[in-house]
């Protein structure tokens, strides 16, 4: 059986071991606390970099969005100009078609009239040669009179309504002073 001294020595040895282990645990805990503090500081730095990066990205996307809106405004103006061009072409086509129809009718009438006039003139010259000479002299006088005092010209036919011409009102994008921040060293 061990003596009381042996038991006390064993208890003291265990207590010394507990004290040593407790001191070691405190030292390790303090080291862990320091490492956690350093990790938190690095995480705070990383979080600040991420927030700044997201802010920069948002500003860049805003600048791109504003440019997109400016592009849309330019395209809308171009579309309105194209509508005006189509309107002008349509009006020109209507005018040309009207002129073509009138000229076609006039040409047919002129050909019929020419044939009739040549026939009547031929008959009249054969029947009344002296009157034909008088007619030619009178026609010459009329020609000189028209050169001297021309008659009033009829007013031209009305043109189609003018096409609306769009006014250019370009979109002025906002946020175009944005520049990316200079690159920083990566978080270590």
């Amino acid at each position: 059986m061990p003596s009381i001294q042996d038991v006390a020595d064993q208890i003291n040895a265990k207590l010394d071991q507990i004290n040593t282990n407790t001191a070691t645990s405190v030292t390790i805990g303090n080291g862990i606390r320091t490492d956690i503090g350093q990790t938190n500081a690095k995480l705070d730095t990383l979080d600040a970099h991420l927030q700044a990066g997201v802010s920069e990205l948002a500003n860049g996307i805003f600048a791109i969005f504003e440019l997109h809106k400016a592009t849309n405004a330019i395209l809308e103006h171009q579309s309105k100009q194209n509508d005006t061009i189509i309107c002008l072409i349509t009006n020109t086509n209507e005018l040309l078609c009207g002129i073509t129809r009138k000229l076609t009718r006039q040409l047919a009438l002129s050909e019929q009239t020419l044939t009739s006039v040549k026939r009547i003139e031929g008959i009249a010259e054969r029947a009344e040669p002296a009157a034909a000479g008088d007619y030619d002299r009178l026609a010459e006088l009329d020609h000189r009179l028209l050169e001297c005092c021309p008659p009033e010209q009829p007013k031209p036919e009305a043109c189609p309504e003018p096409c609306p011409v769009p006014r250019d009102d370009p979109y002025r994008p906002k946020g175009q002073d944005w520049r990316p921040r200079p690159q920083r060293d990566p978080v270590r």
Side-chain angles (χ1 to χ4, degrees):
M1 168 149 240
S3 69
I4 291 181
Q5 185 61 41
D6 289 338
V7 171
D9 287 340
Q10 285 178 355
I11 290 173
N12 280 336
K14 291 285 182 191
L15 285 175
D16 287 342
Q17 188 177 5
I18 289 173
N19 280 338
T20 302
N21 288 344
T22 301
T24 304
S25 294
V26 168
T27 303
I28 291 172
N30 288 338
I32 290 172
R33 184 176 294 130
T34 302
D35 289 345
I36 288 174
Q38 289 174 351
T39 302
N40 280 341
K42 287 181 181 180
L43 285 174
D44 288 342
T45 302
L46 182 62
D47 184 49
H49 286 299
L50 284 174
Q51 287 181 6
V54 167
S55 176
E56 286 294 308
L57 183 61
N59 289 338
I61 288 173
F62 175 74
I64 290 170
F65 178 67
E66 287 295 308
L67 287 175
H68 181 70
K69 289 186 341 190
T71 302
N72 285 347
I74 291 168
L75 288 175
E76 182 179 352
H77 178 70
Q78 292 292 324
S79 178
K80 287 178 182 176
Q81 284 183 329
N82 288 341
D83 291 344
T84 300
I85 291 168
I86 290 168
C87 177
L88 290 171
I89 290 172
T90 301
N91 287 348
T92 303
N93 188 44
E94 287 177 18
L95 287 172
L96 287 175
C97 285
I99 290 169
T100 302
R101 285 190 293 271
K102 289 175 184 175
L103 284 177
T104 302
R105 284 194 312 264
Q106 188 62 42
L107 189 60
L109 288 174
S110 294
E111 287 174 359
Q112 290 173 357
T113 303
L114 181 62
T115 303
S116 296
V117 167
K118 283 183 179 179
R119 183 168 185 254
I120 292 170
E121 191 176 83
I123 292 169
E125 285 178 354
R126 284 190 182 92
E128 298 283 337
D134 282 344
Y135 177 80
D136 289 340
R137 280 188 296 282
L138 185 60
E140 178 65 27
L141 283 175
D142 282 345
H143 177 69
R144 287 183 186 171
L145 185 61
L146 286 176
E147 283 181 349
C148 169
C149 306
E152 277 191 31
Q153 295 294 322
K155 291 184 179 178
E157 289 185 33
C159 292
E161 290 293 319
C163 298
V165 178
R167 199 180 58 128
D168 187 17
D169 186 19
Y171 178 79
R172 305 285 184 228
K174 300 172 186 87
Q176 294 308 300
D177 58 342
W178 175 83
R179 299 281 182 264
R181 290 188 183 175
Q183 200 118 44
R184 297 180 187 167
D185 291 333
V187 178
R188 296 177 190 168

